[in-house]
C-alpha cells in the first residue's frame, strides 16, 4: 500500500497524523500521480450568467466562444462544461480548464484573442454576466481521491497516471493528510477576501482579491456507464442526500465559512445534460471545510451513505480534489454579475477595507 503523497514530495513530518502507522483503510481508493516536472497547476473557471430562456442562445454562443479560444497555442490540456441555477434565479454556464503549468496558462491568457475579448466593452453591454475564477495551487497544495483508476477527471486529467491503493483515506482528517504540504504546514488562512476594484451592487467590472489558503473542493459523480442497480443507487439514495447538503451550503454557507457553493451538471456544447455532476465549493479555510465535513448533519448523511456503498461500486465513479493556494495565485473577476455570485457575496467592500486598514494603523501606533 502506498502513501497518497508522492515520494518526491515526501519530507520529514513535523505534524503528526491522526491514525497510527499500522492503519488499514476499509476499501481501496487511489490518487493522481505526476512526476517532478509538475510544479504548479492552474484551475480556471470561466462563467456565463443569464436570466431567462431568451438569453440562452447568446449564453451558449458565449460559452462556445470561450471553448474555441482553448484551441489557441497554450490552451488547457483538459476542460469540461457545466450548468447550474443559483438561488437568485440566474442560470450559469461554466467552462473549466486545467493547465499543467502556470507559464503556459499565462501565455494563453495574454494572447490578444483572449485578453481583448475579456476586456472588450462589448462584455459590458451584451446583457450577460461573465466571471473568471482562476487559482494555481503548487504541487504540494492539492490532493485528489478516486474510487477508480482510469480516465481521471478534473486535475487528474493533466497528471501522469494513478497510484496504487493508498493509505490515507477512510478516516476524519485523511483529506488534509493527502496534501504534501500537510507534513509541515497547517495551511492556516491569513488576510481577507476583499473587493479591490468596482462595486458589486453597481454591476460592471469587479475584481476580488483572495487571501492565503482559501480552500477549493471539487467533488464529482459520474453515472453515465452505471447499470440499472448502481444508477438507481445514485439517483434514489445518494443524490437526494447530496442535493440537500449542497443546497444548504449554497444558501447558508456564509455562517460556516463557505464563500461559494455550486452543485453543477455537466453539459455538451449544445447545453444538453450529461450523466455527470460535481460540486464546487470555495471555503475560507481548510479547517472550516473539515469542521463541516466532520460535524454537520448534512455532510454526515452524505458520508454515511458513501461509506455504506463504496466497497461495492463498479461503474458509478465518485471522486474529489481539494486545493489551497497563496493569495497571489488567485484571480476573481466579475462582469455584470449579480452581487451574490461566487466570491462577491463575502468580499469586503473597498471603502470598508480602507477604513479597517486606517483603524488598524491607529491602534498599532
Amino acid at each position: 500500500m502506498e502513501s497518497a503523497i508522492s515520494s518526491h514530495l515526501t519530507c520529514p513530518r513535523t505534524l503528526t497524523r491522526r491514525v497510527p502507522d499500522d492503519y488499514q483503510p476499509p476499501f481501496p481508493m487511489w490518487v493522481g500521480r505526476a512526476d517532478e516536472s509538475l510544479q504548479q497547476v492552474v484551475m480556471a473557471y470561466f462563467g456565463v450568467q443569464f436570466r431567462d430562456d431568451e438569453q440562452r442562445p447568446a449564453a451558449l454562443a458565449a460559452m462556445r466562444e470561450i471553448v474555441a479560444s482553448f484551441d489557441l497555442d497554450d490552451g488547457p490540456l483538459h476542460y469540461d462544461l457545466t450548468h447550474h441555477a443559483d438561488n437568485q434565479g440566474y442560470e450559469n454556464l461554466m467552462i473549466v480548464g486545467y493547465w499543467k503549468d502556470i507559464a503556459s496558462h499565462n501565455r494563453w491568457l495574454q494572447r490578444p484573442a483572449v485578453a481583448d475579448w475579456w476586456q472588450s466593452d462589448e462584455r459590458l453591454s451584451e446583457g450577460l454576466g461573465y466571471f473568471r475564477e482562476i487559482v494555481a495551487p503548487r504541487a504540494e497544495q492539492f490532493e485528489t481521491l478516486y474510487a477508480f483508476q482510469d480516465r481521471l477527471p478534473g486535475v487528474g486529467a493533466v497528471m501522469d497516471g494513478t497510484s496504487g491503493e493508498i493509505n490515507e483515506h477512510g478516516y476524519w482528517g485523511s483529506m488534509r493528510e493527502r496534501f504534501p504540504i500537510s507534513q509541515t504546514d497547517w495551511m492556516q488562512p491569513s488576510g481577507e477576501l476583499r473587493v479591490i476594484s468596482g462595486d458589486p451592487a453597481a454591476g460592471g467590472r469587479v475584481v476580488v482579491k483572495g487571501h492565503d489558503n482559501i480552500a477549493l473542493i471539487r467533488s464529482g459523480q459520474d453515472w453515465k456507464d452505471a447499470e440499472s442497480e448502481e444508477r438507481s443507487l445514485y439517483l434514489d439514495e445518494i443524490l437526494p442526500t447530496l442535493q440537500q447538503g449542497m443546497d444548504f451550503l449554497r444558501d447558508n454557507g456564509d455562517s460556516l465559512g463557505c464563500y461559494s457553493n455550486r452543485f453543477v451538471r455537466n453539459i455538451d456544447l449544445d447545453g444538453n445534460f450529461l450523466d455527470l455532476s460535481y460540486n464546487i465549493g470555495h471555503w475560507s479555510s481548510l479547517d472550516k471545510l473539515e469542521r463541516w465535513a466532520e460535524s454537520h448533519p448534512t455532510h454526515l448523511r452524505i458520508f454515511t451513505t458513501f461509506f455504506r456503498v463504496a466497497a461495492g461500486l463498479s461503474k458509478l465513479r465518485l471522486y474529489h480534489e481539494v486545493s489551497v493556494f497563496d493569495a497571489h495565485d488567485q484571480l476573481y473577476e466579475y462582469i455584470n454579475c449579480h452581487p451574490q455570485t461566487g466570491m462577491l457575496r463575502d468580499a469586503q467592500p473597498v471603502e470598508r477595507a480602507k477604513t479597517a486598514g486606517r483603524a488598524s494603523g491607529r491602534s498599532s501606533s
Side-chain angles (χ1 to χ4, degrees), residues 323-335:
S323 52
V324 298
F325 11 82
D326 301 329
H328 58 75
D329 287 326
Q330 305 169 56
L331 169 66
Y332 306 107
E333 186 170 5
Y334 304 86
I335 303 174

Side-chain angles (χ1 to χ4, degrees), residues 257-270:
C258 181
Y259 287 145
S260 170
N261 198 73
R262 301 166 172 131
F263 188 35
V264 306
R265 180 83 175 264
N266 289 67
I267 58 174
D268 62 19
L269 280 169
D270 295 318

Side-chain angles (χ1 to χ4, degrees), residues 40-347:
Q40 191 169 18
V41 299
V42 176
M43 307 166 176
Y45 291 78
F46 302 95
V48 183
Q49 189 175 89
F50 63 103
R51 189 65 192 245
D52 52 42
D53 285 342
E54 289 184 3
Q55 291 184 307
R56 188 179 302 275
L60 286 168
M63 178 187 75
R64 295 187 197 108
E65 182 84 10
I66 295 171
V67 171
S69 72
F70 287 171
D71 289 334
L72 297 170
D73 289 345
D74 298 306
L77 299 178
H78 175 73
Y79 73 90
D80 59 62
L81 312 174
T82 68
H83 166 275
H84 72 278
D86 63 36
N87 62 0
Q88 302 298 305
Y90 288 79
E91 295 186 68
N92 298 264
L93 307 176
M94 288 204 303
I95 309 95
V96 187
Y98 287 85
W99 281 258
K100 197 170 184 176
D101 70 278
I102 196 167
S104 62
H105 168 262
N106 288 341
R107 288 193 298 269
W108 175 82
L109 200 63
Q110 293 164 12
R111 292 192 179 282
V114 177
D116 292 351
W117 185 89
W118 187 262
Q119 296 299 328
S120 172
D121 288 343
E122 291 181 31
R123 304 289 83 75
L124 294 167
S125 59
E126 292 172 319
L128 298 172
Y130 294 95
F131 60 86
R132 51 180 175 176
E133 300 171 346
I134 304 173
V135 298
R138 301 188 307 274
E140 64 268 26
Q141 289 180 306
F142 70 92
E143 63 87 25
T144 59
L145 189 67
Y146 306 98
F148 50 90
Q149 297 172 272
D150 63 325
R151 296 180 289 119
L152 301 186
V155 74
V158 304
M159 302 182 79
D160 300 313
T162 54
S163 67
E165 292 183 26
I166 56 109
N167 175 267
E168 298 93 336
H169 75 91
Y171 61 92
W172 297 124
S174 59
M175 173 184 68
R176 177 183 291 270
E177 292 176 359
R178 288 189 294 272
F179 278 81
I181 199 172
S182 73
Q183 298 167 101
T184 59
D185 191 326
W186 287 111
M187 293 173 276
Q188 291 296 308
S190 62
E192 60 189 2
L193 189 70
R194 59 189 179 91
V195 174
I196 59 172
S197 69
D199 179 359
R205 295 182 185 270
V206 182
V207 178
V208 173
K209 180 177 176 58
H211 59 76
D212 288 335
N213 288 319
I214 288 176
L216 172 64
I217 180 170
R218 167 173 169 159
S219 181
Q221 309 81 36
D222 175 351
W223 65 100
K224 67 178 183 296
D225 294 329
E227 297 176 357
S228 58
E229 185 175 344
E230 282 196 333
R231 178 175 287 266
S232 176
L233 171 68
Y234 176 69
L235 295 176
D236 299 335
E237 294 191 50
I238 297 177
L239 179 57
T241 303
L242 180 61
Q243 186 76 61
Q244 182 183 20
M246 297 303 98
D247 288 350
F248 178 86
L249 288 178
R250 180 196 64 193
D251 299 337
N252 305 283
D254 55 338
S255 65
L256 301 172
C258 181
Y259 287 145
S260 170
N261 198 73
R262 301 166 172 131
F263 188 35
V264 306
R265 180 83 175 264
N266 289 67
I267 58 174
D268 62 19
L269 280 169
D270 295 318
N272 300 307
F273 287 117
L274 307 176
D275 287 345
L276 304 96
S277 62
Y278 56 87
N279 175 68
I280 289 295
H282 289 83
W283 289 75
S284 60
S285 70
L286 197 63
D287 284 344
K288 297 288 189 180
L289 172 56
E290 287 177 310
R291 296 295 80 76
W292 172 73
E294 293 185 19
S295 63
H296 203 275
T298 54
H299 185 263
L300 291 177
R301 286 192 286 269
I302 296 170
F303 186 80
T304 300
T305 302
F306 170 73
F307 219 85
R308 177 169 54 83
V309 305
L313 295 181
S314 173
K315 294 184 178 179
L316 175 61
R317 293 155 54 91
L318 305 175
Y319 71 93
H320 86 218
E321 62 190 47
V322 185
S323 52
V324 298
F325 11 82
D326 301 329
H328 58 75
D329 287 326
Q330 305 169 56
L331 169 66
Y332 306 107
E333 186 170 5
Y334 304 86
I335 303 174
N336 284 341
C337 292
H338 69 75
Q340 298 295 303
T341 303
M343 311 297 263
L344 291 178
R345 186 194 67 191
D346 295 336

